[in-house]
Amino acid sequence: MNSEQIIFYILSFWFVASSLAMIFSRNAAKAVLFLVLAFFSAASIWILLEAEFLAITLILVYVGAVMVLFLFVIKMLNIDKSTLRAKFTGYLPLGLIVAVIIVAEMSLVLGANQFGLDVFSSPARHGADYSNITVLAMQLYTTYVYPFELAAVLLLIAIIAAITLVHRNETSRKKQSISEQVNVQAKDRVRLVSITSPSKEDK
Amino acid sequence: MVSLSDYLILSSVIFCIGLVGIFVNRANIITLLMCIELILVAVNTNFVAFSHFLGNEAGQIFVFFILTVAAAEVAIGLAILTLLFRNRGSISVDVTNSLKG
């Protein structure tokens, strides 16, 4: 067993362990933190696969933005913990059986006979002058330029949708009422108060 | 050397863990969203592994787009969840049954 395999198995162990801890943790904030660990392990595995740009993107975008958004919402909603402890294990046996069967079937299909090293040999590592970002950018801005722009439009739609969903009720919106502004009278806005100023003789 | 089947089996295991998470968690929808993220990362690992072993960068481009779509999905999902909590006072899966016939 060489060093690459050892690193892979260590990272896989943490990936699987933190994923399991994520789905079985009762506290949603702890689940988010376990998911962060899972994402870090996944990013490390991607670096092992020479996808450096995507690994950094996974950490920056997912851990930096999406997971913080999750934590934000969890802290904001203040979920009652007693309701989380209730119905939890109702579907656990069936789910575990289904999952084990799926993993067994996948292992049969994806085993070493079909995708082993003698079928797909491990490619040679790139040298120090190889830039993953350059290669991806060359593809992204030539072949995939239309999907790239569509992704930008999709993000814009997501922003608009999220804002309009949350700002639905009238009270949280600031708007202008023209008729009210035109019909306003001076006595509505200005109140004249007569104050008796103290004279100098009182001192 | 780590073979392609190792990566594929790892990602299928992660996929199934995400699936079990969706089965098991009836308490809150936030965990369901997180399980969907886990499933997407498993699928992305598949893409990256095939991209590496076949020497084709298209797989990594696809992962890039999947990350974009997943970020948009999380933003809208959490907005819907906030609305749900505002209207129902709970984010339990069992409470969200107003579409039930």
Side-chain angles (χ1 to χ4, degrees), chain A residues 102-144:
Chain A
I102 290 176
V103 168
E105 287 178 352
M106 293 280 226
S107 305
L108 284 179
V109 174
L110 305 172
N113 291 329
Q114 285 81 21
F115 293 99
L117 275 178
D118 44 349
V119 184
F120 282 92
S121 61
S122 186
R125 293 281 172 194
H126 294 289
D129 55 339
Y130 173 78
S131 170
N132 180 244
I133 296 177
T134 311
V135 170
L136 277 194
M138 286 301 289
Q139 290 273 319
L140 200 59
Y141 291 118
T142 54
T143 316
Y144 297 95

mmCIF file of all heavy atoms in Angstrom, chain A residues 102-144:
data_model
loop_
_atom_site.group_PDB
_atom_site.id
_atom_site.type_symbol
_atom_site.label_atom_id
_atom_site.label_comp_id
_atom_site.label_asym_id
_atom_site.label_seq_id
_atom_site.Cartn_x
_atom_site.Cartn_y
_atom_site.Cartn_z
ATOM 1 N N ILE A 102 -28.420 -0.806 -2.074
ATOM 2 C CA ILE A 102 -27.897 0.049 -3.150
ATOM 3 C C ILE A 102 -26.372 -0.013 -3.182
ATOM 4 O O ILE A 102 -25.766 -0.154 -4.245
ATOM 5 C CB ILE A 102 -28.385 1.501 -2.963
ATOM 6 C CG1 ILE A 102 -29.877 1.601 -3.227
ATOM 7 C CG2 ILE A 102 -27.653 2.425 -3.924
ATOM 8 C CD1 ILE A 102 -30.434 2.966 -2.980
ATOM 9 N N VAL A 103 -25.740 0.067 -1.993
ATOM 10 C CA VAL A 103 -24.266 0.037 -1.951
ATOM 11 C C VAL A 103 -23.759 -1.305 -2.483
ATOM 12 O O VAL A 103 -22.773 -1.356 -3.248
ATOM 13 C CB VAL A 103 -23.769 0.294 -0.508
ATOM 14 C CG1 VAL A 103 -22.298 -0.029 -0.400
ATOM 15 C CG2 VAL A 103 -23.988 1.742 -0.133
ATOM 16 N N ALA A 104 -24.436 -2.402 -2.122
ATOM 17 C CA ALA A 104 -23.995 -3.711 -2.595
ATOM 18 C C ALA A 104 -24.097 -3.808 -4.109
ATOM 19 O O ALA A 104 -23.165 -4.263 -4.793
ATOM 20 C CB ALA A 104 -24.838 -4.800 -1.927
ATOM 21 N N GLU A 105 -25.228 -3.319 -4.648
ATOM 22 C CA GLU A 105 -25.399 -3.377 -6.107
ATOM 23 C C GLU A 105 -24.371 -2.503 -6.819
ATOM 24 O O GLU A 105 -23.767 -2.908 -7.817
ATOM 25 C CB GLU A 105 -26.812 -2.916 -6.468
ATOM 26 C CG GLU A 105 -27.872 -3.942 -6.118
ATOM 27 C CD GLU A 105 -29.249 -3.443 -6.439
ATOM 28 O OE1 GLU A 105 -29.388 -2.255 -6.795
ATOM 29 O OE2 GLU A 105 -30.193 -4.223 -6.325
ATOM 30 N N MET A 106 -24.174 -1.271 -6.267
ATOM 31 C CA MET A 106 -23.198 -0.367 -6.878
ATOM 32 C C MET A 106 -21.795 -0.976 -6.835
ATOM 33 O O MET A 106 -21.029 -0.869 -7.793
ATOM 34 C CB MET A 106 -23.182 0.965 -6.131
ATOM 35 C CG MET A 106 -24.436 1.760 -6.280
ATOM 36 S SD MET A 106 -24.474 2.615 -7.817
ATOM 37 C CE MET A 106 -25.014 4.198 -7.259
ATOM 38 N N SER A 107 -21.468 -1.636 -5.703
ATOM 39 C CA SER A 107 -20.129 -2.226 -5.597
ATOM 40 C C SER A 107 -19.943 -3.340 -6.613
ATOM 41 O O SER A 107 -18.849 -3.519 -7.156
ATOM 42 C CB SER A 107 -19.909 -2.760 -4.188
ATOM 43 O OG SER A 107 -20.135 -1.743 -3.256
ATOM 44 N N LEU A 108 -21.028 -4.072 -6.870
ATOM 45 C CA LEU A 108 -20.933 -5.111 -7.900
ATOM 46 C C LEU A 108 -20.698 -4.498 -9.269
ATOM 47 O O LEU A 108 -19.870 -4.961 -10.050
ATOM 48 C CB LEU A 108 -22.217 -5.954 -7.912
ATOM 49 C CG LEU A 108 -22.356 -6.952 -6.779
ATOM 50 C CD1 LEU A 108 -23.687 -7.681 -6.916
ATOM 51 C CD2 LEU A 108 -21.225 -7.946 -6.826
ATOM 52 N N VAL A 109 -21.435 -3.413 -9.545
ATOM 53 C CA VAL A 109 -21.339 -2.814 -10.882
ATOM 54 C C VAL A 109 -20.022 -2.063 -11.041
ATOM 55 O O VAL A 109 -19.380 -2.118 -12.087
ATOM 56 C CB VAL A 109 -22.548 -1.887 -11.113
ATOM 57 C CG1 VAL A 109 -22.397 -1.150 -12.426
ATOM 58 C CG2 VAL A 109 -23.819 -2.675 -11.105
ATOM 59 N N LEU A 110 -19.629 -1.348 -9.963
ATOM 60 C CA LEU A 110 -18.458 -0.468 -10.061
ATOM 61 C C LEU A 110 -17.196 -1.126 -9.534
ATOM 62 O O LEU A 110 -16.228 -0.442 -9.249
ATOM 63 C CB LEU A 110 -18.714 0.817 -9.261
ATOM 64 C CG LEU A 110 -19.960 1.611 -9.611
ATOM 65 C CD1 LEU A 110 -20.164 2.710 -8.610
ATOM 66 C CD2 LEU A 110 -19.841 2.181 -10.990
ATOM 67 N N GLY A 111 -17.200 -2.428 -9.388
ATOM 68 C CA GLY A 111 -16.066 -3.099 -8.758
ATOM 69 C C GLY A 111 -14.814 -3.084 -9.611
ATOM 70 O O GLY A 111 -14.760 -2.477 -10.695
ATOM 71 N N ALA A 112 -13.794 -3.777 -9.107
ATOM 72 C CA ALA A 112 -12.484 -3.755 -9.763
ATOM 73 C C ALA A 112 -12.510 -4.459 -11.118
ATOM 74 O O ALA A 112 -11.624 -4.237 -11.947
ATOM 75 C CB ALA A 112 -11.453 -4.408 -8.846
ATOM 76 N N ASN A 113 -13.514 -5.311 -11.368
ATOM 77 C CA ASN A 113 -13.573 -5.969 -12.670
ATOM 78 C C ASN A 113 -13.899 -4.984 -13.780
ATOM 79 O O ASN A 113 -13.400 -5.105 -14.899
ATOM 80 C CB ASN A 113 -14.640 -7.067 -12.638
ATOM 81 C CG ASN A 113 -14.227 -8.202 -11.754
ATOM 82 O OD1 ASN A 113 -13.039 -8.488 -11.629
ATOM 83 N ND2 ASN A 113 -15.192 -8.849 -11.124
ATOM 84 N N GLN A 114 -14.769 -4.014 -13.444
ATOM 85 C CA GLN A 114 -15.202 -3.070 -14.477
ATOM 86 C C GLN A 114 -14.344 -1.814 -14.512
ATOM 87 O O GLN A 114 -14.030 -1.294 -15.562
ATOM 88 C CB GLN A 114 -16.668 -2.674 -14.259
ATOM 89 C CG GLN A 114 -17.677 -3.727 -14.637
ATOM 90 C CD GLN A 114 -17.843 -4.765 -13.556
ATOM 91 O OE1 GLN A 114 -17.523 -4.517 -12.409
ATOM 92 N NE2 GLN A 114 -18.343 -5.932 -13.924
ATOM 93 N N PHE A 115 -13.997 -1.282 -13.321
ATOM 94 C CA PHE A 115 -13.296 -0.001 -13.262
ATOM 95 C C PHE A 115 -11.978 -0.114 -12.510
ATOM 96 O O PHE A 115 -11.520 0.857 -11.935
ATOM 97 C CB PHE A 115 -14.192 1.056 -12.608
ATOM 98 C CG PHE A 115 -15.394 1.410 -13.416
ATOM 99 C CD1 PHE A 115 -16.621 0.846 -13.133
ATOM 100 C CD2 PHE A 115 -15.291 2.295 -14.469
ATOM 101 C CE1 PHE A 115 -17.735 1.168 -13.898
ATOM 102 C CE2 PHE A 115 -16.383 2.611 -15.225
ATOM 103 C CZ PHE A 115 -17.619 2.041 -14.948
ATOM 104 N N GLY A 116 -11.393 -1.279 -12.489
ATOM 105 C CA GLY A 116 -10.136 -1.442 -11.759
ATOM 106 C C GLY A 116 -8.962 -0.820 -12.499
ATOM 107 O O GLY A 116 -9.111 -0.200 -13.569
ATOM 108 N N LEU A 117 -7.787 -1.001 -11.921
ATOM 109 C CA LEU A 117 -6.591 -0.373 -12.492
ATOM 110 C C LEU A 117 -6.200 -1.007 -13.826
ATOM 111 O O LEU A 117 -5.604 -0.361 -14.682
ATOM 112 C CB LEU A 117 -5.427 -0.485 -11.507
ATOM 113 C CG LEU A 117 -5.354 0.609 -10.456
ATOM 114 C CD1 LEU A 117 -4.203 0.364 -9.523
ATOM 115 C CD2 LEU A 117 -5.208 1.962 -11.121
ATOM 116 N N ASP A 118 -6.527 -2.308 -14.008
ATOM 117 C CA ASP A 118 -6.146 -2.943 -15.263
ATOM 118 C C ASP A 118 -7.086 -2.550 -16.398
ATOM 119 O O ASP A 118 -6.762 -2.754 -17.572
ATOM 120 C CB ASP A 118 -6.114 -4.462 -15.095
ATOM 121 C CG ASP A 118 -7.316 -4.974 -14.321
ATOM 122 O OD1 ASP A 118 -8.022 -4.124 -13.753
ATOM 123 O OD2 ASP A 118 -7.536 -6.198 -14.280
ATOM 124 N N VAL A 119 -8.256 -1.986 -16.057
ATOM 125 C CA VAL A 119 -9.169 -1.504 -17.099
ATOM 126 C C VAL A 119 -8.927 -0.015 -17.355
ATOM 127 O O VAL A 119 -8.677 0.414 -18.477
ATOM 128 C CB VAL A 119 -10.641 -1.743 -16.684
ATOM 129 C CG1 VAL A 119 -11.558 -1.329 -17.803
ATOM 130 C CG2 VAL A 119 -10.846 -3.198 -16.310
ATOM 131 N N PHE A 120 -8.987 0.778 -16.264
ATOM 132 C CA PHE A 120 -8.685 2.201 -16.349
ATOM 133 C C PHE A 120 -7.365 2.431 -15.596
ATOM 134 O O PHE A 120 -7.364 2.557 -14.375
ATOM 135 C CB PHE A 120 -9.791 3.042 -15.692
ATOM 136 C CG PHE A 120 -11.003 3.192 -16.538
ATOM 137 C CD1 PHE A 120 -12.047 2.306 -16.418
ATOM 138 C CD2 PHE A 120 -11.100 4.220 -17.460
ATOM 139 C CE1 PHE A 120 -13.181 2.442 -17.204
ATOM 140 C CE2 PHE A 120 -12.225 4.347 -18.245
ATOM 141 C CZ PHE A 120 -13.261 3.453 -18.121
ATOM 142 N N SER A 121 -6.270 2.488 -16.335
ATOM 143 C CA SER A 121 -4.996 2.670 -15.646
ATOM 144 C C SER A 121 -4.893 4.094 -15.129
ATOM 145 O O SER A 121 -5.435 5.027 -15.719
ATOM 146 C CB SER A 121 -3.849 2.387 -16.598
ATOM 147 O OG SER A 121 -3.916 3.291 -17.676
ATOM 148 N N SER A 122 -4.214 4.223 -14.010
ATOM 149 C CA SER A 122 -4.097 5.540 -13.395
ATOM 150 C C SER A 122 -3.225 6.432 -14.270
ATOM 151 O O SER A 122 -2.111 6.060 -14.631
ATOM 152 C CB SER A 122 -3.471 5.387 -12.008
ATOM 153 O OG SER A 122 -3.474 6.607 -11.348
ATOM 154 N N PRO A 123 -3.732 7.610 -14.669
ATOM 155 C CA PRO A 123 -2.959 8.476 -15.557
ATOM 156 C C PRO A 123 -1.746 9.057 -14.848
ATOM 157 O O PRO A 123 -1.723 9.187 -13.620
ATOM 158 C CB PRO A 123 -3.949 9.566 -15.942
ATOM 159 C CG PRO A 123 -4.929 9.578 -14.845
ATOM 160 C CD PRO A 123 -5.025 8.194 -14.325
ATOM 161 N N ALA A 124 -0.739 9.419 -15.659
ATOM 162 C CA ALA A 124 0.481 9.987 -15.079
ATOM 163 C C ALA A 124 0.187 11.364 -14.494
ATOM 164 O O ALA A 124 -0.638 12.115 -15.018
ATOM 165 C CB ALA A 124 1.554 10.098 -16.150
ATOM 166 N N ARG A 125 0.865 11.655 -13.379
ATOM 167 C CA ARG A 125 0.662 12.955 -12.740
ATOM 168 C C ARG A 125 1.211 14.058 -13.622
ATOM 169 O O ARG A 125 2.248 13.896 -14.266
ATOM 170 C CB ARG A 125 1.382 12.973 -11.394
ATOM 171 C CG ARG A 125 0.798 12.031 -10.375
ATOM 172 C CD ARG A 125 -0.428 12.616 -9.756
ATOM 173 N NE ARG A 125 -1.112 11.635 -8.919
ATOM 174 C CZ ARG A 125 -2.343 11.800 -8.482
ATOM 175 N NH1 ARG A 125 -3.024 12.869 -8.812
ATOM 176 N NH2 ARG A 125 -2.908 10.889 -7.722
ATOM 177 N N HIS A 126 0.532 15.206 -13.614
ATOM 178 C CA HIS A 126 1.017 16.345 -14.377
ATOM 179 C C HIS A 126 2.217 16.969 -13.672
ATOM 180 O O HIS A 126 2.366 16.862 -12.463
ATOM 181 C CB HIS A 126 -0.083 17.389 -14.536
ATOM 182 C CG HIS A 126 -1.216 16.914 -15.369
ATOM 183 N ND1 HIS A 126 -1.111 16.734 -16.728
ATOM 184 C CD2 HIS A 126 -2.480 16.566 -15.041
ATOM 185 C CE1 HIS A 126 -2.265 16.297 -17.198
ATOM 186 N NE2 HIS A 126 -3.112 16.178 -16.202
ATOM 187 N N GLY A 127 3.031 17.678 -14.459
ATOM 188 C CA GLY A 127 4.209 18.312 -13.894
ATOM 189 C C GLY A 127 3.856 19.605 -13.185
ATOM 190 O O GLY A 127 2.681 19.983 -13.063
ATOM 191 N N ALA A 128 4.908 20.278 -12.704
ATOM 192 C CA ALA A 128 4.686 21.504 -11.945
ATOM 193 C C ALA A 128 4.203 22.637 -12.830
ATOM 194 O O ALA A 128 3.603 23.600 -12.344
ATOM 195 C CB ALA A 128 5.975 21.913 -11.235
ATOM 196 N N ASP A 129 4.430 22.547 -14.148
ATOM 197 C CA ASP A 129 4.010 23.639 -15.034
ATOM 198 C C ASP A 129 2.565 23.495 -15.477
ATOM 199 O O ASP A 129 2.057 24.345 -16.203
ATOM 200 C CB ASP A 129 4.940 23.681 -16.256
ATOM 201 C CG ASP A 129 4.972 22.329 -16.951
ATOM 202 O OD1 ASP A 129 4.629 21.336 -16.285
ATOM 203 O OD2 ASP A 129 5.349 22.277 -18.135
ATOM 204 N N TYR A 130 1.893 22.430 -15.054
ATOM 205 C CA TYR A 130 0.493 22.235 -15.441
ATOM 206 C C TYR A 130 -0.413 23.092 -14.568
ATOM 207 O O TYR A 130 -0.287 23.110 -13.349
ATOM 208 C CB TYR A 130 0.125 20.765 -15.277
ATOM 209 C CG TYR A 130 -1.335 20.453 -15.478
ATOM 210 C CD1 TYR A 130 -1.875 20.364 -16.749
ATOM 211 C CD2 TYR A 130 -2.178 20.261 -14.387
ATOM 212 C CE1 TYR A 130 -3.206 20.086 -16.938
ATOM 213 C CE2 TYR A 130 -3.510 19.974 -14.568
ATOM 214 C CZ TYR A 130 -4.013 19.888 -15.857
ATOM 215 O OH TYR A 130 -5.334 19.608 -16.035
ATOM 216 N N SER A 131 -1.312 23.831 -15.224
ATOM 217 C CA SER A 131 -2.240 24.669 -14.466
ATOM 218 C C SER A 131 -3.660 24.201 -14.728
ATOM 219 O O SER A 131 -4.156 24.278 -15.858
ATOM 220 C CB SER A 131 -2.088 26.131 -14.877
ATOM 221 O OG SER A 131 -3.126 26.878 -14.315
ATOM 222 N N ASN A 132 -4.283 23.709 -13.684
ATOM 223 C CA ASN A 132 -5.670 23.230 -13.795
ATOM 224 C C ASN A 132 -6.612 24.369 -14.130
ATOM 225 O O ASN A 132 -7.554 24.216 -14.922
ATOM 226 C CB ASN A 132 -6.044 22.573 -12.474
ATOM 227 C CG ASN A 132 -7.454 22.047 -12.452
ATOM 228 O OD1 ASN A 132 -8.261 22.520 -11.678
ATOM 229 N ND2 ASN A 132 -7.758 21.092 -13.299
ATOM 230 N N ILE A 133 -6.326 25.558 -13.566
ATOM 231 C CA ILE A 133 -7.202 26.707 -13.794
ATOM 232 C C ILE A 133 -7.144 27.130 -15.259
ATOM 233 O O ILE A 133 -8.169 27.447 -15.870
ATOM 234 C CB ILE A 133 -6.805 27.856 -12.854
ATOM 235 C CG1 ILE A 133 -7.029 27.421 -11.412
ATOM 236 C CG2 ILE A 133 -7.597 29.096 -13.143
ATOM 237 C CD1 ILE A 133 -6.613 28.440 -10.415
ATOM 238 N N THR A 134 -5.951 27.122 -15.851
ATOM 239 C CA THR A 134 -5.822 27.514 -17.259
ATOM 240 C C THR A 134 -6.590 26.559 -18.160
ATOM 241 O O THR A 134 -7.315 26.995 -19.068
ATOM 242 C CB THR A 134 -4.338 27.527 -17.654
ATOM 243 O OG1 THR A 134 -3.616 28.246 -16.671
ATOM 244 C CG2 THR A 134 -4.143 28.162 -19.003
ATOM 245 N N VAL A 135 -6.447 25.274 -17.868
ATOM 246 C CA VAL A 135 -7.134 24.282 -18.700
ATOM 247 C C VAL A 135 -8.645 24.459 -18.595
ATOM 248 O O VAL A 135 -9.372 24.478 -19.605
ATOM 249 C CB VAL A 135 -6.704 22.866 -18.259
ATOM 250 C CG1 VAL A 135 -7.562 21.823 -18.925
ATOM 251 C CG2 VAL A 135 -5.258 22.642 -18.586
ATOM 252 N N LEU A 136 -9.144 24.647 -17.371
ATOM 253 C CA LEU A 136 -10.581 24.817 -17.187
ATOM 254 C C LEU A 136 -11.060 26.102 -17.838
ATOM 255 O O LEU A 136 -12.123 26.137 -18.463
ATOM 256 C CB LEU A 136 -10.918 24.847 -15.698
ATOM 257 C CG LEU A 136 -11.062 23.518 -14.995
ATOM 258 C CD1 LEU A 136 -11.718 23.731 -13.657
ATOM 259 C CD2 LEU A 136 -11.869 22.564 -15.812
ATOM 260 N N ALA A 137 -10.283 27.180 -17.701
ATOM 261 C CA ALA A 137 -10.706 28.459 -18.267
ATOM 262 C C ALA A 137 -10.753 28.387 -19.785
ATOM 263 O O ALA A 137 -11.674 28.943 -20.402
ATOM 264 C CB ALA A 137 -9.760 29.566 -17.813
ATOM 265 N N MET A 138 -9.797 27.690 -20.388
ATOM 266 C CA MET A 138 -9.805 27.550 -21.852
ATOM 267 C C MET A 138 -11.076 26.846 -22.311
ATOM 268 O O MET A 138 -11.669 27.206 -23.323
ATOM 269 C CB MET A 138 -8.586 26.745 -22.309
ATOM 270 C CG MET A 138 -7.281 27.487 -22.249
ATOM 271 S SD MET A 138 -7.277 28.961 -23.256
ATOM 272 C CE MET A 138 -7.259 28.233 -24.882
ATOM 273 N N GLN A 139 -11.504 25.838 -21.568
ATOM 274 C CA GLN A 139 -12.743 25.146 -21.929
ATOM 275 C C GLN A 139 -13.963 26.016 -21.642
ATOM 276 O O GLN A 139 -14.882 26.107 -22.440
ATOM 277 C CB GLN A 139 -12.865 23.851 -21.121
ATOM 278 C CG GLN A 139 -11.887 22.790 -21.518
ATOM 279 C CD GLN A 139 -12.428 21.963 -22.657
ATOM 280 O OE1 GLN A 139 -13.593 21.622 -22.672
ATOM 281 N NE2 GLN A 139 -11.574 21.664 -23.607
ATOM 282 N N LEU A 140 -13.929 26.663 -20.484
ATOM 283 C CA LEU A 140 -15.118 27.362 -19.995
ATOM 284 C C LEU A 140 -15.445 28.568 -20.863
ATOM 285 O O LEU A 140 -16.619 28.870 -21.106
ATOM 286 C CB LEU A 140 -14.872 27.797 -18.547
ATOM 287 C CG LEU A 140 -16.088 28.111 -17.701
ATOM 288 C CD1 LEU A 140 -16.982 26.904 -17.633
ATOM 289 C CD2 LEU A 140 -15.639 28.475 -16.303
ATOM 290 N N TYR A 141 -14.418 29.253 -21.350
ATOM 291 C CA TYR A 141 -14.680 30.476 -22.103
ATOM 292 C C TYR A 141 -14.716 30.244 -23.600
ATOM 293 O O TYR A 141 -14.875 31.195 -24.355
ATOM 294 C CB TYR A 141 -13.638 31.544 -21.763
ATOM 295 C CG TYR A 141 -13.782 32.055 -20.359
ATOM 296 C CD1 TYR A 141 -12.770 31.890 -19.441
ATOM 297 C CD2 TYR A 141 -14.949 32.686 -19.956
ATOM 298 C CE1 TYR A 141 -12.908 32.333 -18.147
ATOM 299 C CE2 TYR A 141 -15.101 33.132 -18.670
ATOM 300 C CZ TYR A 141 -14.069 32.952 -17.771
ATOM 301 O OH TYR A 141 -14.215 33.391 -16.492
ATOM 302 N N THR A 142 -14.538 29.014 -24.045
ATOM 303 C CA THR A 142 -14.677 28.750 -25.477
ATOM 304 C C THR A 142 -15.842 27.801 -25.731
ATOM 305 O O THR A 142 -16.883 28.213 -26.234
ATOM 306 C CB THR A 142 -13.384 28.141 -26.048
ATOM 307 O OG1 THR A 142 -13.044 27.008 -25.270
ATOM 308 C CG2 THR A 142 -12.244 29.143 -26.007
ATOM 309 N N THR A 143 -15.684 26.554 -25.320
ATOM 310 C CA THR A 143 -16.706 25.562 -25.638
ATOM 311 C C THR A 143 -17.982 25.788 -24.835
ATOM 312 O O THR A 143 -19.083 25.645 -25.346
ATOM 313 C CB THR A 143 -16.175 24.145 -25.342
ATOM 314 O OG1 THR A 143 -14.851 24.057 -25.837
ATOM 315 C CG2 THR A 143 -17.043 23.104 -25.980
ATOM 316 N N TYR A 144 -17.786 26.161 -23.549
ATOM 317 C CA TYR A 144 -18.937 26.219 -22.651
ATOM 318 C C TYR A 144 -19.300 27.646 -22.299
ATOM 319 O O TYR A 144 -19.723 27.924 -21.175
ATOM 320 C CB TYR A 144 -18.651 25.416 -21.386
ATOM 321 C CG TYR A 144 -18.433 23.960 -21.649
ATOM 322 C CD1 TYR A 144 -17.165 23.441 -21.804
ATOM 323 C CD2 TYR A 144 -19.520 23.106 -21.768
ATOM 324 C CE1 TYR A 144 -16.975 22.103 -22.071
ATOM 325 C CE2 TYR A 144 -19.332 21.768 -22.043
ATOM 326 C CZ TYR A 144 -18.060 21.277 -22.184
ATOM 327 O OH TYR A 144 -17.874 19.949 -22.457
#
